[in-house]
Amino acid sequence: HTMIATGATVGNGLRPSYRVDLDTGHVAQMAAGTGIGTPRLGAATAILDGGRAMVTGGIGGGIARASAEIFDESSGGFEPAPITLQEARANHGAVTLASGDVLLVGGQNENGLLAQTERVHFDGTSWRGVEGTTASLVQPRKNAFVLRLADGTILVAGGSDAAGPVSLLEFFSDDATVETNVPFHARTREAYVALDGG
């Protein structure tokens, strides 16, 4: 029932976080200490269970961030402890796997476009980023659509690289350990959505 507009750095100014109640349409600025801890441009968000959402990566202070934060609807704010990721990234995709882990896909940082994926895993006590346990992209890209289909398969589609729109659809197994791909016609300003039927 909640949508969050997170803070971001605009020029030299800082924009606060806002909470929108989707039932009533009420918009309220989040109080100090409840908004996002690190302003992020180009972040990606994944929905977790229990009315929570994970905001990952993004650019803060002019650099790509290797951290994530969790918003908890029950408390009405972001949890105070950030999550450490293995790779700084922005303009990437994020999706919740069937296991409840979050998969981060592609994006970019100061070293260029990323092929690496990263699993953000909850070990029963805390969340942490883990690399090397999931397959990589064949085609590094930024601004891709990353969708979980009805059978748990992850679709990575669209996005761009240095040459323009990416013309490859990539599919990951439900645990993201196996990648397969098929050629696809590259399009600009395309959009993808996962339908209920898969």
Side-chain angles (χ1 to χ4, degrees):
H1 302 283
T2 298
M3 179 181 73
I4 299 298
T6 61
T9 303
V10 179
N12 293 325
L14 180 65
R15 296 192 179 195
S17 298
Y18 290 88
R19 181 176 180 176
V20 182
D21 185 321
L22 298 179
D23 290 331
T24 65
H26 178 71
V27 179
Q29 182 175 326
M30 297 174 73
T34 63
I36 197 162
T38 300
R40 302 165 186 271
L41 295 171
T45 304
I47 301 301
L48 305 176
D49 61 1
R52 298 175 303 150
M54 183 182 293
V55 181
T56 64
I59 296 172
I63 60 170
R65 295 291 181 173
S67 64
E69 299 179 58
I70 291 179
F71 173 81
D72 188 340
E73 189 172 39
S74 65
S75 69
F78 284 84
E79 296 178 359
I83 299 162
T84 300
L85 305 176
Q86 296 296 312
E87 188 84 52
R89 64 181 75 217
N91 303 315
H92 57 292
V95 67
T96 305
L97 300 175
S99 66
D101 289 351
V102 173
L103 181 68
L104 308 183
V105 179
Q108 63 188 128
N109 60 26
E110 62 275 7
N111 297 317
L113 292 175
L114 297 170
Q116 301 94 326
T117 64
E118 181 173 343
R119 179 191 303 269
V120 187
H121 174 68
F122 184 69
D123 63 11
T125 304
S126 61
W127 290 88
R128 65 184 180 92
V130 182
E131 276 189 325
T133 61
T134 52
S136 294
L137 289 168
V138 169
Q139 181 66 58
R141 62 185 85 190
K142 62 182 179 178
N143 299 320
F145 285 83
V146 182
L147 305 171
R148 188 174 91 190
L149 306 182
D151 65 354
T153 299
I154 304 302
L155 168 65
V156 180
S160 62
D161 61 15
V166 173
S167 59
L168 192 68
L169 298 179
E170 300 194 49
F171 295 89
F172 289 80
S173 57
D174 61 359
D175 62 359
T177 59
V178 179
E179 185 276 350
T180 58
N181 58 79
V182 294
F184 191 67
H185 179 71
R187 296 177 170 92
T188 58
R189 299 182 182 180
E190 60 194 353
Y192 296 83
V193 63
L195 300 177
D196 290 341

